[in-house]
Amino acid sequence: MSSAMRKTTKSPAVWRLTAATVALGSCLALAGPAGSAGAAPADPVPTVFFGDSYTSNFGIAPVNNTDSERGWCFQATDNYPAVAARSLADKGITLDVQADVSCGGALVHHFWEKQELPFGAGELPPQQDALKQDTQLTVGSLGGNTLGFSRILKQCSDELRKPSLLPGDPVDGDEPAAKCGEFFESGDGKQWLDGQFERVGAELEELLDRIGYFAPDAKRVLVGYPRLVPEDTTKCSTTAPGQTQLPFADIPQDALPVLDQIQKRLNDAMKKVAADAEGGADFVDLYASTGANTACDGADRGIGGLLEDSQLELLGTKIPWYAHPNGKGRDIQAKQVADKAEEILNR
């Protein structure tokens, strides 16, 4: 079977079998004296970062690749992969970043299929094409777009249903935004959501299997999403310092706990996929560690409000954060990822 053909094969069973075989061989090959454990790698660690807008850190300027179609990925020059790599270098752990292919709008299946860019700007190759046989570390976040989180937000907001850069349509545009909490907890809305979660779980499983196939020696790290809505949703009734819009704009107060439950369910699904992965995978639980830095935490917020101006401009107009990590949130992501990478590489 040619390399090109193998790059497009989609059978999860094949990937699981291959990944398990490789993992067993790797474990036997790596078995050595007990004294070798716990030493930081002496050589640079070949690393690939993958993911969506939460890895590319949409909203933070400046961005990479402004002279090519990849500029539409809105990948920040100082996204969390770049910040984490610098942090690790300060601790004597050097990452040889073979690629950072994170791109805003990426769905899980864009790991093995081409991604169409907005406004007919072109297409990008599958993210898995960045993997090499000698890749030793892979890190990234995917799942939120496959779940349809922007569609969920639009279901709950008349403001977000207006034309914008935020992709997708509401799940059911005939249902009023004011009743979105009820919509997702029963009937067609709940059925749609359950189906989306099934798809996310299956596709993330395939993603990890594919990494195991194309980069058999790589440690696999799946990074969860930071918490957007606080436990105390009354905090979302107050604007952040210097802002005129509420953190979640016109989304109904009673829908905020529902949005939080959906996000927690996504986090739990990602954690389970990592825990169940053949050959082992690690998970960075950002949801669990960012409860004091949600979009509603005022000066401590690590998430830019839905309609709060980000650092980006398009045609002279500021682009909203659309509930993405701001600089503080990016730094939290970077620290958690760097800590996990250090733990893994020192095993």
Side-chain angles (χ1 to χ4, degrees), residues 38 51 130 141 179 182 195 254 264:
S141 310
K179 294 185 177 180
E182 176 184 340
D254 63 1
K264 185 179 187 303

Side-chain angles (χ1 to χ4, degrees), residues 263-286:
Q263 196 193 4
K264 185 179 187 303
R265 184 177 174 185
L266 174 60
N267 186 74
D268 291 344
M270 296 175 74
K271 185 188 299 185
K272 185 178 188 303
V273 169
D276 293 347
E278 300 265 9
D282 288 270
F283 181 67
V284 178
D285 195 343
L286 287 174

Side-chain angles (χ1 to χ4, degrees), residues 39-101:
D43 298 323
V45 180
T47 302
V48 169
F49 291 101
F50 62 90
D52 56 25
S53 58
Y54 277 73
T55 305
S56 66
N57 280 123
F58 168 88
I60 294 177
V63 300
N64 292 324
N65 307 304
T66 54
D67 58 347
S68 74
E69 65 272 9
R70 279 197 176 272
W72 286 101
C73 290
F74 295 106
Q75 185 188 94
T77 301
D78 277 337
N79 63 349
Y80 83 67
V83 176
R86 290 200 298 268
S87 174
L88 288 167
D90 291 341
K91 297 181 178 182
I93 300 174
T94 303
L95 300 186
D96 172 17
V97 180
Q98 296 173 312
D100 178 352
V101 289

Side-chain angles (χ1 to χ4, degrees), residues 295-329:
C296 302
D297 280 295
D300 293 326
R301 67 194 184 283
I303 302 295
L306 278 183
L307 300 181
E308 177 183 348
D309 288 345
S310 74
Q311 298 174 7
L312 299 179
E313 287 188 8
L314 186 63
L315 302 177
T317 302
K318 285 282 189 178
I319 301 175
W321 284 106
Y322 294 132
H324 282 76
N326 55 23
K328 181 187 287 289

Side-chain angles (χ1 to χ4, degrees), residues 67-340:
D67 58 347
S68 74
E69 65 272 9
R70 279 197 176 272
W72 286 101
C73 290
F74 295 106
Q75 185 188 94
T77 301
D78 277 337
N79 63 349
Y80 83 67
V83 176
R86 290 200 298 268
S87 174
L88 288 167
D90 291 341
K91 297 181 178 182
I93 300 174
T94 303
L95 300 186
D96 172 17
V97 180
Q98 296 173 312
D100 178 352
V101 289
S102 60
C103 187
L107 285 74
V108 179
H109 72 253
H110 290 135
F111 194 78
W112 57 87
E113 295 181 5
K114 295 178 181 179
Q115 178 181 353
E116 297 288 338
L117 294 169
F119 306 113
E123 61 183 25
L124 300 179
Q127 296 192 13
Q128 71 179 15
D129 288 4
L131 299 173
K132 302 181 184 302
Q133 283 289 310
D134 67 343
T135 302
Q136 295 178 25
L137 180 66
T138 58
V139 182
S141 310
L142 282 169
N145 291 325
T146 297
L147 179 64
F149 206 74
S150 65
R151 297 189 67 193
I152 293 168
L153 291 173
K154 286 189 175 184
Q155 186 66 34
C156 296
S157 168
D158 287 319
E159 283 295 321
L160 292 181
R161 293 188 188 193
K162 297 175 182 178
S164 69
L165 280 177
L166 193 64
D169 297 315
V171 179
D172 185 347
D174 292 331
E175 287 288 326
K179 294 185 177 180
C180 79
E182 176 184 340
F183 174 78
F184 286 117
E185 292 188 307
S186 62
D188 291 344
K190 182 180 184 301
Q191 184 177 355
W192 176 85
L193 199 58
D194 290 344
Q196 294 299 101
F197 273 109
E198 285 187 22
R199 178 182 175 191
V200 169
E203 292 191 358
L204 285 176
E205 181 181 347
E206 179 163 353
L207 181 153
L208 292 179
D209 286 346
R210 283 173 174 269
I211 294 175
Y213 186 88
F214 292 115
D217 294 326
K219 304 294 185 183
R220 298 170 295 178
V221 182
L222 195 59
V223 182
Y225 293 89
R227 189 169 185 174
L228 305 181
V229 179
E231 183 176 357
D232 178 7
T233 58
T234 62
K235 295 195 294 185
C236 300
S237 300
T238 303
T239 58
Q243 299 301 309
T244 57
Q245 291 269 8
L246 293 175
F248 287 99
D250 64 332
I251 291 180
Q253 182 78 20
D254 63 1
L256 294 177
V258 177
L259 294 180
D260 186 50
Q261 290 163 16
I262 292 172
Q263 196 193 4
K264 185 179 187 303
R265 184 177 174 185
L266 174 60
N267 186 74
D268 291 344
M270 296 175 74
K271 185 188 299 185
K272 185 178 188 303
V273 169
D276 293 347
E278 300 265 9
D282 288 270
F283 181 67
V284 178
D285 195 343
L286 287 174
Y287 179 91
S289 61
T290 53
N293 303 105
T294 71
C296 302
D297 280 295
D300 293 326
R301 67 194 184 283
I303 302 295
L306 278 183
L307 300 181
E308 177 183 348
D309 288 345
S310 74
Q311 298 174 7
L312 299 179
E313 287 188 8
L314 186 63
L315 302 177
T317 302
K318 285 282 189 178
I319 301 175
W321 284 106
Y322 294 132
H324 282 76
N326 55 23
K328 181 187 287 289
R330 182 271 321 274
D331 290 346
I332 294 172
Q333 290 176 294
K335 182 181 188 309
Q336 296 289 326
V337 167
D339 287 349
K340 179 62 71 174

